[in-house]
Amino acid sequence: MNLKHFLSLMAVLPLFSMAVHADMTEVGSDTIGAKAMPATIESLGEMPFKMKDLKRPSFPDRTMTLTLTAVSGEGKITPAVNDMIADLSKRGGGTLVVPEGHWRSGRIVLKSNVNLHLADGAVIEFSGDIADYQPAVFTRHEGVEVMGAGAFIYADGAKNIALTGHGTVMGPPMSVAMRTLPNGKSVVENDVPYDMPVKDRICDGIGGRTFYRPKSFSPINCKNVLVEGVTFERSVLWNVNPVYCENVIIRGITVNSTDVPSGDGIDISSCKNVLIEYSTLNCGDDCFTLKAGRCEDGLRVGKPTENVVIRHCLAKEGHGGITCGSETAGGIRNVYLHDCLFYGTRTGFRFKTRRNRGGTVAGITYERVRLIDVREAFTWDLLGSAMYMGELARRYPPLDITPLTPTVKDITIRNFTVESADRLLTVNAIPEIPCSNVLIENGKVRTNRIIRTLNDADGFTFRNLEIQATDNRITIDDSRNVAFDNVTFYVPEGALDIEMKGKKTANITMKTDNDVTVCRQGLNEVKD
């Protein structure tokens, strides 16, 4: 019996409805995103890893309010705001209120025990003049430590800080020259020598030096951080980017940066104990993103991103709904995303690294997620493009394994619906260390195409899935131990067209309740 004939027996049932699996809860628009945020932070509940509940930082009952007298002759509030924050911190802390109005500012520096509160109707528009982000401060640009602009709102080594309220953090107009400055000469690891002392990596834009654009909010080396309720508009780079922080709560925020190249929503970089909930991201790049340093510099620092919970969130336009990478050197582990909606994102679940990025991505669990109008539901993009990576982007020949060779493994995605997608899955992995131990189970899918390619994987299980597709092709290349366990396909002509190639392809099985079918590598047939 040939493979196409066998699979036709599995695929002749009527088209299925998109009813939610019995193990799922309905993820509706009224239960997720910034508009649905409750006043209290609920317990984390049952988790796939150990993590204590996080609590808001508390602040003394001391309040200062910005007034029009704070506006300088240049029309900015920068000196006054920073003086008021420093004064509050020295006195033990409190809240600085920015009232309703349109305020202009350069870099604001948060200090310990201070809550910067943006009242309803308050807009802080940040400058597009690089002079307003001097002197250079310690920061991290795309996973490499530098001395640079930092962020519109920045902190270093602070404890108990917050950015709250229903006001708006807004970047400069889209026409400013800052947005057109080159982001280095090439990729950052080539521009910044890894053996150069960090204090000498000055990227302030002065005297012809590189200028890395500031993030919107980026505390570094901070503990007990809260971002709540704020809207971020018109960034010049990433929006919310805590770096080397511990105990971080991000809730109820809204990001709109669809016209901004590299306009990521939330980038967690080498942080521990993070809760992101009830947030709505509409971005020019990845939406919810986990990072841990880049290349040799990331290995030197050696700080992972770990213990991250993302729940009740909405990702709209963007490159990835949830993305691990591509900066992975310090490792990304213990991540739990659940009860989220990805609506219109390019990719739903995205794993992204490169041969020179290092680190291990492992211990990832995603469940109860609804995907609508995505280009691709699942993507493993571990090689990148020749434009940026040169020879490292070539699959073959396999390269020697080094400390910079990344590993991606131990991933569970379950109890999901894909209501509309152009393609279900692409895996473009690294042949020297195949992507391994991936379980995708309990899902219903409506897609045009199924699997573009499944390259260099060792241990992929698809279990309890119903897949309706307008195309019937699947390509498996140098992958082994791939199991389709109780997967029902509804495809044209009631038959799949599976291409299996590569000398390492082996142990490809299709299991139903009654039998197991072994698809032999190199032959378009099956053996009962």
Side-chain angles (χ1 to χ4, degrees):
M1 179 170 60
N2 65 38
L3 178 61
K4 185 173 290 188
H5 179 234
F6 171 78
L7 291 172
S8 70
L9 299 179
M10 300 174 61
V12 295
L13 297 177
L15 296 183
F16 66 96
S17 68
M18 291 304 298
V20 179
H21 191 276
D23 292 335
M24 294 185 64
T25 58
E26 180 66 46
V27 179
S29 59
D30 59 338
T31 62
I32 50 91
K35 293 182 179 179
M37 182 185 70
T40 59
I41 300 175
E42 299 173 352
S43 172
L44 296 178
E46 187 175 343
M47 296 270 293
F49 49 86
K50 292 182 179 180
M51 178 175 165
K52 293 182 179 179
D53 286 342
L54 298 183
K55 297 180 179 179
R56 286 188 180 90
S58 59
F59 302 94
D61 187 15
R62 183 182 293 114
T63 300
M64 299 178 71
T65 301
L66 193 72
T67 66
L68 289 175
T69 59
V71 179
S72 69
E74 296 180 343
K76 298 172 185 174
I77 60 173
T78 318
V81 166
N82 285 325
D83 286 347
M84 294 170 80
I85 288 173
D87 181 56
L88 273 172
S89 182
K90 288 179 182 178
R91 293 163 58 194
T95 299
L96 174 58
V97 176
V98 179
E100 179 182 0
H102 195 106
W103 310 86
R104 296 178 62 244
S105 184
R107 183 171 61 208
I108 293 174
V109 181
L110 272 178
K111 301 287 186 179
S112 293
N113 302 310
V114 174
N115 172 18
L116 179 62
H117 183 83
L118 309 186
D120 289 0
V123 176
I124 304 181
E125 180 180 321
F126 284 85
S127 166
D129 186 347
I130 65 172
D132 286 320
Y133 303 94
Q134 307 297 332
V137 294
F138 175 57
T139 185
R140 203 184 207 189
H141 178 75
E142 294 185 350
V144 174
E145 292 183 347
V146 298
M147 303 298 294
F152 296 157
I153 303 173
Y154 172 82
D156 183 8
K159 295 182 179 179
N160 302 317
I161 60 174
L163 174 63
T164 65
H166 293 286
T168 299
V169 172
M170 180 176 288
M174 297 300 292
S175 59
V176 298
M178 178 188 288
R179 296 183 183 274
T180 64
L181 293 174
N183 192 27
K185 296 178 181 178
S186 62
V187 289
V188 63
E189 64 266 29
N190 294 337
D191 289 345
V192 180
Y194 73 90
D195 55 353
M196 175 186 286
V198 175
K199 65 182 179 62
D200 296 331
R201 302 175 184 179
I202 301 175
C203 303
D204 57 5
I206 296 176
R209 289 189 289 257
T210 294
F211 180 78
Y212 291 128
R213 293 185 294 276
K215 279 89 71 162
S216 296
F217 175 71
S218 186
I220 190 167
N221 291 320
C222 294
K223 190 172 183 178
N224 302 333
V225 178
L226 172 66
V227 189
E228 185 175 55
V230 177
T231 294
F232 294 84
E233 300 271 359
R234 211 169 64 188
S235 68
V236 296
L237 197 72
W238 301 351
N239 283 271
V240 177
N241 176 217
V243 181
Y244 309 153
C245 293
E246 185 174 349
N247 301 339
V248 177
I249 300 172
I250 303 169
R251 63 191 312 262
I253 74 167
T254 301
V255 172
N256 292 307
S257 61
T258 55
D259 296 328
V260 179
S262 299
D264 292 20
I266 299 173
D267 293 77
I268 304 301
S269 182
S270 297
C271 295
K272 182 178 182 179
N273 300 333
V274 178
L275 171 62
I276 304 171
E277 65 175 9
Y278 295 102
S279 293
T280 299
L281 307 186
N282 197 28
C283 304
D285 207 310
D286 290 324
C287 294
F288 299 94
T289 313
L290 308 174
K291 299 177 179 292
R294 189 173 185 131
C295 304
E296 290 91 348
D297 199 62
L299 289 182
R300 175 187 63 81
V301 173
K303 293 183 179 180
T305 280
E306 58 184 335
N307 301 347
V308 179
V309 175
I310 304 171
R311 63 186 185 183
H312 311 301
C313 287
L314 170 62
K316 300 172 72 175
E317 186 174 338
H319 291 188
I322 171 69
T323 299
C324 289
S326 62
E327 296 90 338
T328 55
I332 300 169
R333 58 188 183 232
N334 294 347
V335 178
Y336 183 36
L337 177 144
H338 65 91
D339 296 286
C340 291
L341 171 63
F342 301 156
Y343 199 140
T345 50
R346 182 185 299 181
T347 300
F349 306 100
R350 190 181 193 195
F351 298 90
K352 181 183 176 186
T353 187
R354 304 290 181 254
R355 271 186 168 123
N356 66 342
R357 299 291 162 84
T360 297
V361 177
I364 312 296
T365 302
Y366 302 148
E367 65 178 344
R368 298 191 301 277
V369 183
R370 184 180 173 198
L371 289 76
I372 303 173
D373 289 345
V374 298
R375 186 179 302 179
E376 183 164 73
F378 309 102
T379 301
W380 278 257
D381 173 17
L382 309 188
L383 289 175
S385 67
M387 178 184 297
Y388 298 106
M389 302 310 302
E391 293 295 316
L392 292 179
R394 292 180 179 269
R395 273 185 72 203
Y396 288 104
L399 303 181
D400 292 337
I401 296 174
T402 75
L404 290 175
T405 307
T407 300
V408 180
K409 63 179 182 177
D410 304 339
I411 297 162
T412 298
I413 303 171
R414 62 192 176 204
N415 302 339
F416 62 92
T417 60
V418 180
E419 296 190 18
S420 47
D422 183 56
R423 184 168 54 235
L424 176 61
L425 179 141
T426 296
V427 177
N428 191 28
I430 298 172
E432 47 266 34
I433 300 184
C435 182
S436 63
N437 193 26
V438 175
L439 172 63
I440 299 175
E441 67 174 351
N442 301 341
K444 293 195 174 187
V445 176
R446 180 180 287 120
T447 182
N448 289 327
R449 294 173 286 175
I450 306 172
I451 298 177
R452 175 186 179 186
T453 185
L454 179 56
N455 293 349
D456 304 308
D458 186 356
F460 255 70
T461 299
F462 302 89
R463 177 183 296 152
N464 299 335
L465 305 178
E466 293 183 3
I467 301 171
Q468 175 183 326
T470 59
D471 185 79
N472 64 353
R473 286 171 291 180
I474 293 175
T475 300
I476 299 175
D477 187 356
D478 270 346
S479 291
R480 46 273 196 202
N481 303 314
V482 178
F484 296 86
D485 183 357
N486 192 33
V487 178
T488 304
F489 295 91
Y490 303 86
V491 295
E493 301 179 2
L496 287 174
D497 181 5
I498 299 182
E499 179 184 12
M500 289 182 287
K501 57 185 180 179
K503 294 181 180 179
K504 295 181 181 179
T505 294
N507 195 26
I508 313 298
T509 63
M510 292 200 171
K511 180 181 179 181
T512 66
D513 291 338
N514 299 321
D515 61 11
V516 176
T517 299
V518 179
C519 305
R520 294 187 296 185
Q521 184 271 331
L523 297 175
N524 193 31
E525 62 180 37
V526 297
K527 180 179 180 181
D528 291 335

